[in-house]
Amino acid sequence: MKKSDFISILSKNLEDYTEIDINLSADLIQKTIIEALKKRDRVEIRGFGSFCIRDRKSIRARNPKSGEFIELPKRSIPYFRASKLLKDRVN
């Protein structure tokens, strides 16, 4: 499902709001989650899941084409963990 599909489903179910309002709300939610993760805060949505940042240590990798070794720097990645309720509903 793409973001546009998600917004069209919401606009069909929420007839009191325009599609522009729903699009702005979806953008605001996304922006808020991103800003919280930039600050390394944990975002928890009850019944859905939680977002956090996990650190990956630097590693030495090899380019398979040239065989040259390169050093990949330490990096942070976003991590999502589904709630038990979401797991139960999917299964």
Side-chain angles (χ1 to χ4, degrees):
M1 176 184 291
K2 295 184 282 183
K3 184 178 178 181
S4 58
D5 298 334
F6 179 69
I7 290 171
S8 64
I9 290 170
L10 283 177
S11 64
K12 288 177 188 173
N13 290 323
L14 302 170
E15 296 172 355
D16 296 341
Y17 300 99
T18 64
E19 192 167 326
I20 295 171
D21 292 336
I22 294 171
N23 194 6
L24 288 173
S25 299
D27 287 341
L28 182 61
I29 292 169
Q30 183 179 7
K31 185 178 176 183
T32 304
I33 292 172
I34 290 170
E35 290 301 318
L37 291 176
K38 279 184 182 178
K39 295 177 191 174
R40 303 190 70 82
D41 292 338
R42 183 171 184 261
V43 178
E44 183 177 335
I45 303 171
R46 297 284 171 140
F48 183 69
S50 62
F51 298 90
C52 65
I53 294 291
R54 288 198 174 171
D55 292 323
R56 296 268 173 102
K57 57 184 175 181
S58 63
I59 59 171
R60 187 171 182 192
R62 188 177 67 85
N63 182 344
K65 189 172 184 179
S66 66
E68 178 185 347
F69 284 98
I70 57 172
E71 188 74 26
L72 295 176
K74 176 183 170 186
R75 59 197 186 278
S76 300
I77 59 164
Y79 177 76
F80 174 74
R81 182 173 181 203
S83 70
K84 185 176 187 285
L85 181 62
L86 179 62
K87 290 178 189 177
D88 292 342
R89 287 184 179 174
V90 169
N91 293 324

